[in-house]
Amino acid sequence: MDALSDIFSAFSTGSRMAYAVPIGSGHIHKTWLIHTENPNEPGFIMQKFNGHVFPDFDKVTENLLLVTGLLNRHPEYSKRYSIAAPLSSRAGGYAVRQQDRSAWRLFQRIAPGLSYDLVPDEATAFEAGKIYGLFLAALQELRADKLHEVIPGFHSVSLRYRQLLDAAKPEPIGRFVHAAQELRFAKKHIAEMSVIPRQQQAGRLPLRVTHNDTKLNNVLFDTQMQARAVVDLDTVMPGLSLYDFGDLVRTAAATNNEDSAETGFSLSCFEAITRGYLKETATILSPEEKNLMPLAPRYMAYIMGIRFLADYLNGDLYYATHYPEQNLMRCRAQFQLMEAMAKNHDACCRITESACRA
């Protein structure tokens, strides 16, 4: 605790830390809620930045400052939502660095900061769709090439599939035999999952400034279940609107979270998300973007499924696990979700067409 207090005191807050509580269910950074000696303060969010996932802290920070600055100047977004910008350190810059070269950063807490791994109801799903939709719309004037690509090929299905095949080759730890069925599933669906990137390569899908990690739990809510903020902006970079819409549906319309052995698909939550998202984006999305919205959640579930599978075959090097088969179970849940989505594809198309006309 003394070490955390020392790190906190290196930031320009004018506050003294009382105690810290570990928070968050993410796979990447380690995060603490900092309570201060002033009970009237909302507190702070302090993170140990994961330099393995994001090797260039400065590029991530430059993106973050550019995007949060634009959101703060956007009249509608800044009026409706709070914006999580990094706080500066006493030494200058936005990181406090330790002897082990780790970088720490600090944000003002957005109170009450409620988040959900599973969507409580359709109204919450609608709110999530709406805030992510306005996030995309508010950044449409910013050219995508002004941002650093902090994780090259983050949602590239061809790259992720090659990584899976590479992971399946050496087989040094004897896991291939347990994943044979999942590898066959991945091979069976790669052609269909290549539709979205082919459309992008053909120039039919515009490159936009996108969040790229639009999980439900990256939206903070207030006690009235109104969306208050989008957080975890480290992956904001050039991308497709379909990535953001698809990943939100993947997490918010699933009936269980990523660590569950089984999951299903909620069509009613898909409808709520779609209507919320299109309420803010219908006028800026291209016809092809709208046409591919029903496929986008399957694309993102496939991406996550093969990433979990590759990490399992590699010996769980990327995602934190609590037991040896956890990444394999995560993969199976994503593939199961894909199948549930496929069964509802026609209904998703009708919902999307109706929401586009609304």
Side-chain angles (χ1 to χ4, degrees), residues 29-31 45-49 103-105 107 232 234:
H29 307 301
K30 293 182 179 178
T31 306
I45 301 297
M46 192 163 74
Q47 288 185 324
K48 183 179 182 181
F49 187 82
W104 293 71
R105 60 186 183 172
F107 300 85
D232 273 8
D234 298 329

Side-chain angles (χ1 to χ4, degrees), residues 199-224:
Q199 292 297 90
Q200 181 192 3
Q201 291 159 11
R204 299 189 183 100
L205 297 174
L207 201 61
R208 300 181 182 275
V209 176
T210 49
H211 185 285
N212 294 298
D213 191 20
T214 50
K215 297 191 296 288
L216 174 66
N217 60 18
N218 279 335
V219 176
L220 300 183
F221 294 84
D222 62 21
T223 56
Q224 304 303 311

Side-chain angles (χ1 to χ4, degrees), residues 26 161 165 182 191 226 240 248 252:
Y161 189 67
L165 296 182
E182 287 70 33
Q226 299 294 301
L240 301 181
L248 176 59

Side-chain angles (χ1 to χ4, degrees), residues 118-298:
L118 286 176
V119 69
D121 50 41
E122 286 80 3
T124 308
F126 178 81
E127 280 289 305
K130 201 165 57 165
I131 191 172
Y132 276 129
L134 187 54
F135 182 91
L136 182 83
L139 297 173
Q140 68 166 328
E141 299 304 323
L142 177 60
R143 279 174 37 191
D145 61 6
K146 293 293 184 181
L147 294 179
H148 302 290
E149 189 178 10
V150 292
I151 305 180
F154 189 45
H155 291 318
S156 166
V157 74
S158 59
L159 173 63
R160 297 304 185 183
Y161 189 67
R162 285 198 306 272
Q163 291 173 339
L164 174 62
L165 296 182
D166 289 343
K169 283 177 184 175
E171 183 54 2
I173 54 176
R175 290 184 167 187
F176 180 91
V177 64
H178 303 294
Q181 182 176 341
E182 287 70 33
L183 286 165
R184 287 194 296 271
F185 184 97
K187 181 179 180 180
K188 176 182 176 182
H189 290 276
I190 182 60
E192 183 184 15
M193 293 303 106
S194 298
V195 168
I196 288 175
R198 281 203 304 269
Q199 292 297 90
Q200 181 192 3
Q201 291 159 11
R204 299 189 183 100
L205 297 174
L207 201 61
R208 300 181 182 275
V209 176
T210 49
H211 185 285
N212 294 298
D213 191 20
T214 50
K215 297 191 296 288
L216 174 66
N217 60 18
N218 279 335
V219 176
L220 300 183
F221 294 84
D222 62 21
T223 56
Q224 304 303 311
M225 303 301 287
Q226 299 294 301
R228 282 286 310 279
V230 169
V231 296
D232 273 8
L233 306 183
D234 298 329
T235 52
V236 174
M237 57 182 166
L240 301 181
S241 67
L242 295 169
Y243 298 159
D244 280 6
F245 174 75
D247 210 28
L248 176 59
V249 172
R250 180 185 72 84
T251 56
T255 56
N256 276 311
N257 63 33
E258 289 179 348
D259 285 317
S260 300
E262 295 185 355
T263 193
F265 177 65
S266 168
L267 191 61
S268 61
C269 283
F270 173 86
E271 180 169 9
I273 293 164
T274 303
R275 293 193 180 280
Y277 191 77
L278 285 170
K279 181 179 176 64
E280 306 295 345
T281 62
T283 60
I284 68 167
L285 294 180
S286 70
E288 193 62 21
E289 285 175 298
K290 294 173 183 176
N291 289 340
L292 288 171
M293 284 175 66
L295 179 61
R298 262 190 290 160

